[in-house]
């Protein structure tokens, strides 16, 4: 979401590959501040009655997980956590917060601050991926649950198309409405990630 580092998510049905150049662009203060500025402007009184550009997904987007598990495996990526994510997974595993962090997390230096992420196995699989699926599926992070409806993926038609190269579920199955997609984006705004 705005200011969020693009990452390949890990979870039973969520991950994407993002180029290094896109990471740098999305990490830039200018991009972060511009996106935030536009959101604020849309809500201010002097923009009432002025129609902002509609998202390219105004008619909805098709997506249905194909259970390929590619989103959980094979390539390095980050699963950044909010406090709600952290507490839900710790609770699922009946662990205390700090014990969960020590065993399953690391702090990722993204330049401006550090962000809490799940660790990976030596082969780059998500730490919670197993042959039977996600071991914390019921408590999986919002990043995993909301994929592929991330701001950097639904930014425009080109980014959506690029994501389809690594996710066979994009363009298939259920049509998700613009309202539903907007709800996923809003959930991230309402559930900020843990920074240090």
């Amino acid at each position: 979401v705005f200011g969020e580092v693009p990452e390949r998510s890990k979870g039973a049905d969520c991950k994407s590959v993002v180029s290094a150049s896109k990471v740098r662009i999305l990490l830039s203060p200018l991009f972060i501040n511009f996106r935030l500025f536009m959101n604020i402007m849309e809500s201010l009184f002097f923009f009432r009655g002025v129609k902002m550009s509609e998202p390219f997904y105004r008619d909805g987007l098709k997506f249905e997980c194909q259970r390929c598990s590619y989103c959980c495996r094979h390539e390095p990526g980050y699963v950044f956590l909010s406090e709600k994510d952290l507490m839900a997974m710790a609770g699922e595993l009946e662990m205390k917060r700090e014990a969960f962090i020590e065993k399953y997390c690391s702090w990722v230096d993204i330049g401006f601050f550090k962000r809490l992420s799940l660790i990976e196995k030596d082969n780059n699989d998500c730490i919670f991926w197993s042959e039977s699926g996600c071991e914390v599926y019921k408590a999986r992070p919002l990043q995993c649950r909301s994929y592929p409806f991330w701001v950097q993926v639904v930014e425009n038609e080109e980014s959506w198309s690029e994501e389809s190269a690594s996710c066979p579920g994009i363009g298939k199955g259920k049509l998700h409405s613009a309202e539903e997609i907007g709800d996923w984006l809003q959930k991230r705004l309402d559930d900020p990630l843990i920074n240090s």
Side-chain angles (χ1 to χ4, degrees), residues 41-100:
M41 289 301 99
E42 287 181 347
S43 65
L44 290 178
F45 70 93
F46 52 81
F47 269 81
R48 289 178 188 163
V50 177
K51 185 174 182 179
M52 305 298 282
S53 59
E54 290 184 323
F56 90 95
Y57 55 83
R58 61 187 172 276
D59 296 324
L61 293 170
K62 283 190 173 184
F63 170 72
E64 187 172 313
C65 179
Q66 302 298 297
R67 305 295 179 202
C68 68
S69 292
Y70 183 72
C71 57
C72 312
R73 311 184 64 200
H74 306 306
E75 294 185 9
Y78 299 116
V79 180
F80 294 120
L81 305 178
S82 70
E83 192 64 34
K84 285 182 183 177
D85 293 332
L86 176 59
M87 297 310 293
M89 287 188 293
E92 179 75 8
L93 298 177
E94 299 181 347
M95 296 177 70
K96 293 193 179 297
R97 181 184 188 278
E98 294 307 317
F100 182 92

Side-chain angles (χ1 to χ4, degrees), residues 2-3 26-40:
F2 308 127
L26 290 170
L27 276 176
S28 73
L30 180 61
F31 177 88
I32 293 168
N33 292 336
F34 176 74
R35 297 291 305 181
L36 182 59
F37 172 78
M38 288 305 294
N39 271 320
I40 293 169

Side-chain angles (χ1 to χ4, degrees), residues 96-145:
K96 293 193 179 297
R97 181 184 188 278
E98 294 307 317
F100 182 92
I101 291 174
E102 184 175 343
K103 184 171 183 178
Y104 295 115
C105 301
S106 67
W107 290 98
V108 179
D109 188 343
I110 61 173
F112 305 106
F113 44 80
K114 292 182 179 180
R115 182 162 280 170
L116 192 67
S117 175
L118 291 178
I119 60 172
E120 297 175 316
K121 298 175 184 176
D122 291 340
N123 63 358
N124 295 321
D125 288 358
C126 173
I127 192 64
F128 289 118
W129 190 86
S130 70
E131 292 295 337
S132 58
C134 177
E135 294 176 350
V136 291
Y137 186 79
K138 291 180 182 177
R140 68 198 188 281
L142 175 60
Q143 180 177 311
C144 304
R145 288 182 282 121

